[in-house]
Amino acid sequence: MDLTDLKDKSSKELKELLLEKRRELRELCFKVGEKQLKNVKSIKIIKKTAARILTLLNNRREETIISN
């Protein structure tokens, strides 16, 4: 998911998406442990997406604190 797509979403949508990505990451980590996952690169992609979401949420929170 691109950063531009993420910027268009509301904070609530970003939080829901973050929960979904964390669930996916947990499932992939279990599959790695069981040696069922062939594409290990997908873990890296999900981690980066989650980090982008967290960055956007933190920036939005800082903007609201500064503006108040």
Side-chain angles (χ1 to χ4, degrees), residues 2-60:
D2 291 340
L3 187 61
T4 54
D5 295 335
L6 293 174
K7 284 183 178 181
D8 295 335
K9 296 188 182 283
S10 68
S11 294
K12 184 179 179 181
E13 291 174 330
L14 286 175
K15 289 177 184 178
E16 291 173 1
L17 187 60
L18 180 62
L19 287 175
E20 179 185 327
K21 292 299 176 185
R22 286 181 172 170
R23 284 186 200 118
E24 286 179 34
L25 183 61
R26 186 174 357 127
E27 290 174 12
L28 289 177
C29 287
F30 284 133
K31 287 183 180 182
V32 166
E34 296 171 353
K35 299 193 190 287
Q36 293 178 349
L37 186 65
K38 299 288 182 188
N39 185 11
V40 183
K41 187 177 180 182
S42 60
I43 293 174
K44 183 178 180 181
I45 294 168
I46 291 176
K47 281 184 178 182
K48 282 188 176 185
T49 304
R52 287 184 182 121
I53 293 169
L54 285 171
T55 301
L56 283 173
L57 287 172
N58 286 333
N59 286 343
R60 288 181 184 178

